[in-house]
Structure formats: structure tokens, C-alpha cells
């Protein structure tokens, strides 16, 4: 149990530091499938912040490729069905969000949505054009709201406040 959003973020930072190559992402995705199947899960949507990992490792595409390879292997072995949600922290650069939408659009069979997450004190309004491009590309929007700023914190001006179901 995390004591506040900050503790959750700190824990994730420690885990992130262990992921150094696309092969690391592949292994984690594969093991996720194996562990989830053992728990009786038949379908799972896996969230990956590809652009942020890509900034650390040199390629968001390679990060996503590693995740997708691991999910394919794990799914093939266990029968679990998986899809990916590409996430973007609202505290990260806007071009990373644009890259995330491009990655999502490039993998329509595997990626079911795009979401803007993160600490809700950072504004969501700069993402309106990105959300519009995602919708135009057929990428579903997954709202993240309520972690720290209430339900309204996830409403992107101009989207009518309606997220789309992802999968």
C-alpha cells in the first residue's frame, strides 16, 4: 500500500531504473503474462510509458517492440490475451505525447489506447491537440483522473469530457 501519490511515483522510479534494454521490457512483459495466467487472468491491458523510457534508453519504438514481443511470447505460451495502453505523464514534454500517439497509431492490433496521466497539478489543457490527433488516427483516449485532483482533472478541453472505452 502506498502512502500517497508521491510514494507510488518513487516506487515506480526504482523499478524503472532496473529496465535498461528492450530485452528487459520483453522479459517483464513475458513474465507478466505467465504470472497473470497463473492467477487465472484471461485478458489484460498493459500500460507502458514508451516515450519516457525511450528518452532514457534511446528509442521509444524499441521499448514498445520489447513489450510487444514479450506479450506475444507470453500470450502464445499461456493463452492470455493482452493489449497495450500507451501512457504519457503530463509533466513530460509535449513532443513525447505526440510520439506516443504515433506509436499507438502504428500498432492498431496491439495498442488499444493512449492516456495522459501523472500528478494532476500539471495542466491537462496543453494536450488538446494531441488528443484530437489521437482521435483522428482512431486511437482511443483513456482518461486518468482522480488520483490527486478529482474527476475533473482529467477532462481535456474540447473532448466533451468523454473518454472512450479501450478494448
Amino acid at each position: 500500500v502506498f502512502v500517497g501519490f508521491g510514494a507510488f511515483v518513487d516506487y515506480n522510479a526504482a523499478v524503472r531504473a532496473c529496465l535498461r534494454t528492450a530485452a528487459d521490457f520483453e522479459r517483464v512483459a513475458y513474465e507478466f503474462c505467465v504470472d497473470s495466467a497463473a492467477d487465472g487472468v484471461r485478458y489484460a491491458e498493459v500500460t507502458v510509458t514508451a516515450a519516457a523510457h525511450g528518452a532514457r534508453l534511446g528509442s521509444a519504438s524499441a521499448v514498445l517492440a520489447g513489450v510487444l514481443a514479450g506479450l506475444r511470447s507470453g500470450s502464445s505460451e499461456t493463452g492470455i490475451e493482452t493489449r497495450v495502453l500507451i501512457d504519457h505523464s503530463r509533466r513530460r514534454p509535449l513532443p513525447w505525447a505526440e510520439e506516443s500517439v504515433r506509436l499507438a497509431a502504428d500498432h492498431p492490433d496491439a495498442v488499444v489506447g493512449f492516456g495522459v496521466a501523472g500528478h494532476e497539478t500539471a495542466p491537462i489543457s496543453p494536450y488538446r491537440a494531441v488528443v484530437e490527433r489521437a482521435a483522428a488516427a482512431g486511437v482511443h483516449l483513456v482518461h486518468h483522473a482522480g488520483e490527486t485532483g478529482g474527476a475533473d482533472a482529467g477532462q481535456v478541453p474540447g473532448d466533451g469530457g468523454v473518454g472512450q472505452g479501450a478494448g
Side-chain angles (χ1 to χ4, degrees):
V1 176
F2 299 104
V3 181
F5 190 69
F8 170 77
V9 170
D10 291 344
Y11 180 82
N12 278 321
V15 171
R16 242 185 343 264
C18 297
L19 300 170
R20 296 186 178 110
T21 67
D24 293 338
F25 285 88
E26 183 174 352
R27 179 179 176 182
V28 168
Y30 168 80
E31 290 179 5
F32 169 82
C33 290
V34 171
D35 292 347
S36 295
D39 288 340
V41 174
R42 303 309 314 148
Y43 176 83
E45 291 178 353
V46 177
T47 301
V48 61
T49 312
H53 290 298
R56 281 186 315 110
L57 304 176
S59 171
S61 294
V63 168
L64 183 59
V67 170
L68 294 178
L71 293 176
R72 275 191 305 275
S73 296
S75 294
S76 176
E77 183 176 310
T78 66
I80 188 173
E81 183 180 351
T82 60
R83 296 294 183 272
V84 173
L85 298 167
I86 296 183
D87 195 38
H88 174 76
S89 171
R90 61 176 81 196
R91 294 180 304 145
R92 301 292 186 178
L94 192 57
W96 293 7
E98 293 165 350
E99 180 177 18
S100 295
V101 168
R102 181 190 55 74
L103 285 171
D106 287 349
H107 298 278
D109 293 339
V111 178
V112 294
F114 164 75
V116 179
H119 202 287
E120 294 159 358
T121 56
I124 191 81
S125 55
Y127 295 94
R128 179 178 180 172
V130 174
V131 168
E132 289 171 349
R133 279 193 290 284
V139 176
H140 293 284
L141 173 65
V142 180
H143 280 296
H144 292 258
E147 290 103 350
T148 59
D152 290 341
Q155 185 172 344
V156 178
D159 77 349
V162 180
Q164 301 145 333

